[in-house]
Amino acid sequence: MDIILSNATDEPIYQQIVTQMKVQIINGTLRAGEPLPSMRNLATQLRISVITTKRAYEELEREGFIENFTGRGCFVKAQNTEFLREESMRQVEELLMKACEKARMMDLPLQDMQEMLELLYHEEK
């Protein structure tokens, strides 16, 4: 499991963990039933507080992405990946609609929007 944390973003560390783990579950990198590192081990690997990893795992469990079994640890929960992908697509469409509305308000040509999207899409994080 690869998680890369950034101090150059306003996103809290626990949320960065949640977001990256969700992506890995949705794209199949983390599979249903796969064990996750213990909160303590993940905290050690990422050099962060156990409280931060606990918060991330709690949110993932609350959202139905992982299961926690007392004494056994946390595991990736079986997902309806098609539903999750569809929900993600809906969110992307919603954001793109807002961007298009803003572009139309300032008379930004479609070609400029396409170029901007192309640059942003291929931009390295």
Side-chain angles (χ1 to χ4, degrees):
M1 176 173 59
D2 293 325
I3 294 180
I4 300 168
L5 301 177
S6 171
N7 291 330
T9 179
D10 291 335
E11 186 177 32
I13 291 172
Y14 85 93
Q15 190 61 53
Q16 291 179 51
I17 296 168
V18 169
T19 301
Q20 291 179 49
M21 287 181 76
K22 282 181 183 180
V23 167
Q24 291 180 40
I25 291 169
I26 291 169
N27 72 18
T29 303
L30 291 174
R31 300 187 192 287
E34 187 172 334
L36 299 174
S38 72
M39 292 176 210
R40 188 175 312 281
N41 284 344
L42 184 60
T44 301
Q45 289 172 16
L46 299 176
R47 295 189 177 118
I48 58 173
S49 166
V50 174
I51 294 169
T52 303
T53 57
K54 183 178 189 294
R55 186 170 180 190
Y57 276 27
E58 285 173 346
E59 184 162 328
L60 286 162
E61 185 174 19
R62 195 171 31 257
E63 293 182 17
F65 284 88
I66 67 172
E67 296 176 290
N68 186 3
F69 297 100
T70 306
R72 290 183 39 217
C74 292
F75 297 83
V76 176
K77 190 173 182 178
Q79 302 291 316
N80 180 342
T81 53
E82 192 60 37
F83 173 77
L84 293 174
R85 182 170 168 71
E86 192 62 36
E87 177 62 21
S88 294
M89 293 274 291
R90 186 193 63 73
Q91 291 173 0
V92 169
E93 286 174 7
E94 190 175 299
L95 293 169
L96 287 172
M97 282 178 60
K98 289 178 184 178
C100 288
E101 288 171 11
K102 184 74 169 179
R104 282 192 296 269
M105 284 187 337
M106 57 184 280
D107 292 325
L108 186 67
L110 177 59
Q111 184 176 353
D112 290 354
M113 278 287 290
Q114 289 170 327
E115 288 175 21
M116 215 182 302
L117 182 59
E118 185 78 25
L119 286 170
L120 292 171
Y121 188 82
H122 294 292
E123 184 178 271
E124 293 288 327
K125 286 189 175 185

